[in-house]
């Protein structure tokens, strides 16, 4: 009971009395509780030990497993989390997933999302009642990189990881048919709003996309190059880095920057340019999927807000709502695919 008071675990007066009367003649040195209660398990880390019974008994190591949850900014109440690359995915997805208690947590790019996935995979069997899933943009990783990650645990990857089939989530809203429907709905309320034809809307989107084509090249090559350098960055920041003395440290650094590793990295970075050539050759037929969705949608919403006489933020909200109303829309199919991961 004193332990319960220390961790501020509320116990009713009635239960307090019953426990006191029952155990007043006993001298307890150990107490075992069999529970699925996450709150009780977490609280018990401060006063005792937790064991997992599953084909035997194993100690749940808080320092190496539970601490990882807190290191990535999560508390015990976040049992459903979707990790995404940046803030804009957070803003778009948060309103959709908050009603089903899924927290959207943005990280700093695809490398951090993938590293978090690897950490979760390493300790997921020791954690109960949590569901973490991961979402990244299409062109931030090569197919070879993705396959290497998937090989870690194919089933686990497929149950927790989604790679979008477009450049980024904003590309799903660059839909002239969807935008045309938005004009039609506003025209019924305000006859001053002219209904733009789908071809006009498509041409406007394409015009903005073409103006920012070079930005797509730069962003793509920067992401690929950063990811190509990630192994070296990881080696320089790992906990296994030698720090006992100058000689061992020097040897470790020399091994990281050995001629072989540098040559291999340079070759990979040079090879990354093939992605630019691929995007360029497919641009005219696949520009809606390949363009920089964030930039294009940001410029497009300013144009649409003037035409529709509403705020830019409202434009985005109404496009999202319209997309979700259509079961066959690609945006809605993506959302449903993500939701299935939590069932």
């Amino acid at each position: 009971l004193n332990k319960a008071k220390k961790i501020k675990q509320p116990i009713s007066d009635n239960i307090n009395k019953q426990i006191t009367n029952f155990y007043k003649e006993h001298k307890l040195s150990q107490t075992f509780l069999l529970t699925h209660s996450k709150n009780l398990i977490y609280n018990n880390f401060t006063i005792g030990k937790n064991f997992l019974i599953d084909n035997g008994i194993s100690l749940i190591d808080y320092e190496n497993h539970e601490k990882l949850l807190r290191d990535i900014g999560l508390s015990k109440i976040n049992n459903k989390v979707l990790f995404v690359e940046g803030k804009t995915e957070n803003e778009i997805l948060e309103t959709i997933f908050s009603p089903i208690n899924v927290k959207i947590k943005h990280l700093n790019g695809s490398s951090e999302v993938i590293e978090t996935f690897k950490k979760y995979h390493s300790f997921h069997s020791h954690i109960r009642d949590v569901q973490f899933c991961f979402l990244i943009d299409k062109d931030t990783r090569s197919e070879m990189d993705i396959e290497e990650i998937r090989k870690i645990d194919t089933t686990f990857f497929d149950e927790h990881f989604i790679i979008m089939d477009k450049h980024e989530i904003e590309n799903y809203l660059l839909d002239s048919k969807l935008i045309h429907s938005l004009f039609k709905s506003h025209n019924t309320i305000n006859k001053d709003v002219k209904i733009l034809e789908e071809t006009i809307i498509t041409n406007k989107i394409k015009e903005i996309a073409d103006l920012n084509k070079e930005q797509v090249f730069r962003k793509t090559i920067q992401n690929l190059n950063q990811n190509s350098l990630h192994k070296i960055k990881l080696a320089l920041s790992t906990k296994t880095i030698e720090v006992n003395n100058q000689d061992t440290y020097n040897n470790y650094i020399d091994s990281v920057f050995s001629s072989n590793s540098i040559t291999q990295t340079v070759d990979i970075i040079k090879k990354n340019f093939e992605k630019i050539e691929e995007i360029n050759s497919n641009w005219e037929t696949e520009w809606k999927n390949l363009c920089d969705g964030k930039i294009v949608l940001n410029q497009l919403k300013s144009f649409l807000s003037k035409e529709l006489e509403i705020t830019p933020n409202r434009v985005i909200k109404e496009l999202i709502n319209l997309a979700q109303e259509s079961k066959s829309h690609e945006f809605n199919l993506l959302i449903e695919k993500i939701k299935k991961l939590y069932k």
Side-chain angles (χ1 to χ4, degrees):
L1 296 175
N2 289 332
K3 294 290 187 182
K5 289 175 184 176
K6 284 182 182 180
I7 63 174
K8 298 178 180 179
Q9 185 75 17
I11 294 179
S12 70
D13 291 338
N14 184 39
I15 294 176
N16 192 333
K17 186 178 179 180
Q18 289 182 52
I19 293 174
T20 302
N21 289 335
F22 186 81
Y23 288 109
K24 63 183 178 181
E25 301 299 328
H26 293 72
K27 289 184 179 180
L28 295 179
S29 58
Q30 284 185 316
T31 303
F32 294 91
L33 299 174
L34 189 64
T35 181
H36 288 101
S37 168
K38 188 162 60 175
N39 282 335
L40 185 57
I41 292 168
Y42 270 87
N43 285 327
N44 193 53
F45 274 122
T46 63
I47 60 172
K49 294 181 179 180
N50 288 306
F51 294 86
L52 176 67
I53 301 175
D54 186 11
N55 295 324
I57 299 177
S58 58
L59 177 67
I60 300 176
D61 187 343
Y62 175 84
E63 290 300 319
N64 291 332
H65 300 295
E66 291 293 327
K67 188 173 181 296
L68 288 172
L69 291 178
R70 303 186 186 280
D71 285 345
I72 55 180
L74 298 173
S75 71
K76 62 186 179 185
I77 61 172
N78 301 134
N79 61 339
K80 292 182 180 180
V81 183
L82 176 64
F83 292 92
V84 297
E85 291 189 37
K87 289 182 179 179
T88 54
E89 288 93 340
N90 191 325
E91 292 166 1
I92 290 175
L93 296 172
E94 202 160 47
T95 54
I96 298 171
F97 285 94
S98 58
I100 59 171
N101 298 318
V102 176
K103 177 182 173 62
I104 310 299
K105 183 165 182 66
H106 72 267
L107 301 175
N108 187 24
S110 64
S111 292
E112 282 197 14
V113 174
I114 290 165
E115 285 307 311
T116 304
F117 167 78
K118 289 178 179 177
K119 286 179 183 178
Y120 177 45
H121 176 263
S122 70
F123 66 80
H124 75 280
S125 60
H126 299 273
I127 305 295
R128 295 299 177 98
D129 301 325
V130 295
Q131 289 176 282
F132 294 165
C133 298
F134 305 82
L135 179 72
I136 65 172
D137 300 342
K138 180 183 179 183
D139 296 323
T140 52
R141 288 280 173 165
S142 68
E143 290 183 11
M144 184 174 68
D145 287 339
I146 295 299
E147 193 53 39
E148 284 299 312
I149 300 162
R150 192 170 180 269
K151 282 180 182 177
I152 295 171
D153 188 330
T154 302
T155 302
F156 187 81
F157 180 91
D158 293 342
E159 290 175 350
H160 295 86
F161 213 106
I162 291 178
I163 301 160
M164 288 182 277
D165 55 11
K166 295 183 185 292
H167 189 273
E168 48 205 343
I169 197 163
E170 289 84 353
N171 291 66
Y172 289 88
L173 300 176
L174 300 177
D175 182 348
S176 55
K177 186 177 181 179
L178 190 71
I179 296 168
H180 177 67
S181 297
L182 185 61
F183 273 96
K184 285 173 70 176
S185 66
H186 276 271
N187 176 260
T188 60
I189 302 168
N190 180 3
K191 295 300 179 183
D192 290 335
V193 173
K194 296 179 181 179
I195 301 175
L196 295 186
E197 295 300 322
E198 287 184 41
T199 52
I200 294 173
I201 297 167
T202 300
N203 290 338
K204 183 63 181 178
I205 302 172
K206 177 71 160 54
E207 177 190 330
I208 299 171
D210 286 342
L211 288 172
N212 292 282
K213 185 178 177 182
E214 185 176 323
Q215 182 64 21
V216 176
F217 294 163
R218 292 187 183 281
K219 190 174 177 179
T220 300
I221 204 71
Q222 285 170 1
N223 283 332
L224 290 172
N225 288 349
Q226 286 292 330
N227 293 332
S228 299
L229 291 168
H230 186 64
K231 287 183 180 178
I232 290 178
K233 288 181 181 178
L234 203 60
L236 294 175
S237 60
T238 181
K239 291 180 181 178
T240 59
I241 192 168
E242 295 289 349
V243 292
N244 293 325
N245 58 62
Q246 183 72 57
D247 288 338
T248 56
Y249 175 76
N250 288 349
N251 289 335
Y252 180 83
I253 297 301
D254 286 340
S255 68
V256 173
F257 291 95
S258 68
S259 58
N260 284 339
S261 64
I262 292 297
T263 301
Q264 288 172 2
T265 302
V266 170
D267 287 342
I268 292 170
I269 290 173
K270 287 179 178 178
K271 191 175 177 63
N272 286 342
F273 194 81
E274 291 178 5
K275 189 65 180 178
I276 301 296
E277 295 173 333
E278 180 187 327
I279 292 172
N280 196 35
S281 64
N282 295 327
W283 184 262
E284 289 306 314
T285 55
E286 294 289 325
W287 63 269
K288 276 190 183 180
N289 295 337
L290 298 171
C291 71
D292 191 309
K294 287 181 177 64
I295 292 176
V296 176
L297 188 61
N298 189 53
Q299 293 181 23
L300 182 66
K301 73 180 181 182
S302 298
F303 165 76
L304 295 176
S305 69
K306 291 176 183 176
E307 295 291 325
L308 294 166
E309 299 179 9
I310 58 176
T311 64
N313 286 341
R314 186 176 165 187
V315 170
I316 302 302
K317 286 180 181 178
E318 293 194 15
L319 283 176
I320 290 171
N321 290 336
L322 279 174
Q324 285 191 274
E325 287 173 8
S326 172
K327 290 185 178 180
S328 61
H329 195 276
E330 289 179 297
F331 180 81
N332 191 50
L333 293 175
L334 173 67
I335 297 303
E336 291 303 313
K337 187 177 181 182
I338 296 169
K339 285 181 178 178
K340 281 182 181 178
L341 297 180
Y342 294 97
K343 291 180 180 178

